[in-house]
């Protein structure tokens, strides 16, 4: 098992995938967003557009160990493996266009948009350019379901794209893979919404 963190201004005892994207959207795919850094989780507990927040919580969690086999790494510096491409093609029953495998995020979007279109083939099929471009919540949800069906558990990307060594964020595709260990209320500075060290207070539920 691996330790990760989640920041929220809401107090709860279990994750609900249906609420995925409420705080940060689905820019990195449909899932529950976690991070490998406690300080980053604390920062994320302040919603982006909020002018004030009454409470900030950091959840310490355990999830099955992310591996190259169960994770789609969205970092463009990490090439898609031939085995993953083959797995996706076998499940789809078609060869992926070159544009869809140029970057991991293009693969995620292409698969999601393709699966969404397959649910209603009466509509005009989007072009490859359209399918690797924009992705709606519905297409991201369809894509996540597809990747789950081939054994993936996560999407992963750097906390800091310019310095990946700082840690990474992860989208968990199914809430059943998250175990909450502890919850702490924290205080953040109001300007940059950074953790004020020493303010952590464990919440007993």
């Amino acid at each position: 098992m691996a330790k990760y963190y989640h920041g929220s201004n809401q107090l709860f005892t279990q994750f609900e995938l249906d609420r995925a994207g409420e705080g940060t959207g689905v820019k990195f795919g449909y899932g529950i967003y976690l991070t490998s850094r406690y300080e980053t989780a604390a920062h994320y507990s302040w919603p982006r557009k909020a002018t004030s927040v009454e409470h900030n919580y950091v959840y310490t969690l355990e999830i099955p160990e992310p591996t190259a086999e169960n994770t789609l790494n969205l970092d463009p510096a990490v090439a898609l493996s031939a085995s993953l491409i083959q797995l996706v093609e076998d499940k789809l029953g078609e060869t992926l266009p070159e544009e869809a495998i140029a970057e991991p995020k293009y693969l995620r979007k292409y698969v999601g948009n393709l699966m969404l279109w397959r649910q209603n083939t009466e509509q005009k099929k989007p072009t490859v350019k359209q399918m690797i471009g924009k992705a709606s919540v519905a297409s991201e949800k369809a894509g996540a379901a597809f990747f789950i069906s081939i054994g993936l558990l996560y999407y992963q990307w750097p906390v800091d794209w310019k310095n990946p060594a700082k840690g990474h964020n992860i989208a968990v595709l199914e809430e059943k893979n998250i175990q909450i260990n502890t919850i702490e209320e924290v205080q953040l500075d109001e300007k940059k919404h950074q953790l004020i060290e020493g303010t952590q207070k464990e919440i007993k539920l």
Side-chain angles (χ1 to χ4, degrees):
M1 301 292 281
K3 181 187 291 187
Y4 281 81
Y5 307 96
H6 176 82
S8 176
N9 65 332
Q10 302 295 318
L11 189 61
F12 51 84
T13 56
Q14 64 181 24
F15 285 88
E16 297 177 7
L17 190 56
D18 288 344
R19 301 186 66 178
E22 286 186 358
T24 56
V26 292
K27 181 179 180 180
F28 299 102
Y30 187 79
I32 296 168
Y33 289 10
L34 314 181
T35 179
S36 63
R37 300 182 72 247
Y38 188 100
E39 296 82 0
T40 301
H43 177 69
Y44 289 163
S45 71
W46 190 298
R48 287 180 298 177
K49 296 181 180 181
T51 55
S52 63
V53 175
E54 187 174 352
H55 299 284
N56 300 91
Y57 302 103
V58 174
Y59 294 75
T60 300
L61 317 163
E62 282 190 348
I63 62 173
E65 192 74 39
T67 67
E69 288 71 35
N70 65 22
T71 305
L72 175 60
N73 195 324
L74 300 177
D75 187 344
V78 179
L80 290 165
S81 69
S83 60
L84 176 59
I85 293 172
Q86 188 63 59
L87 194 60
V88 171
E89 290 182 335
D90 289 347
K91 184 70 174 181
L92 289 176
E94 63 179 63
T95 300
L96 291 164
E98 288 297 320
E99 299 95 323
I101 57 176
E103 288 190 23
K105 69 177 181 180
Y106 295 154
L107 176 64
R108 192 196 79 232
K109 292 179 181 181
Y110 178 85
V111 168
N113 281 311
L114 178 63
M115 298 308 293
L116 187 62
W117 174 77
R118 285 185 176 182
Q119 294 174 15
N120 185 8
T121 55
E122 293 181 359
Q123 296 183 355
K124 182 181 178 180
K125 186 176 182 179
T127 64
V128 172
K129 184 177 181 180
Q130 289 172 328
M131 287 196 283
I132 66 172
K134 294 183 179 180
S136 65
V137 173
S139 67
E140 289 288 9
K141 192 173 184 178
F146 173 88
F147 285 115
I148 289 169
S149 76
I150 62 170
L152 292 193
L153 303 179
Y154 315 112
Y155 302 140
Q156 179 179 310
W157 64 97
V159 169
D160 184 340
W161 291 89
K162 294 181 180 179
N163 186 3
K166 285 187 176 181
H168 61 270
N169 297 330
I170 202 164
V172 182
L173 305 186
E174 295 185 280
E175 66 263 59
K176 70 179 184 179
N177 290 318
I178 303 175
Q179 175 183 313
I180 299 175
N181 284 348
T182 59
I183 307 171
E184 292 180 312
E185 185 168 10
V186 299
Q187 302 297 319
L188 309 181
D189 74 78
E190 294 190 3
K191 286 189 176 182
K192 295 186 176 181
H193 309 150
Q194 300 296 324
L195 174 68
I196 300 174
E197 285 291 350
T199 62
Q200 299 94 321
K201 181 179 179 182
E202 186 170 350
I203 303 294
K204 300 294 185 180
L205 298 177

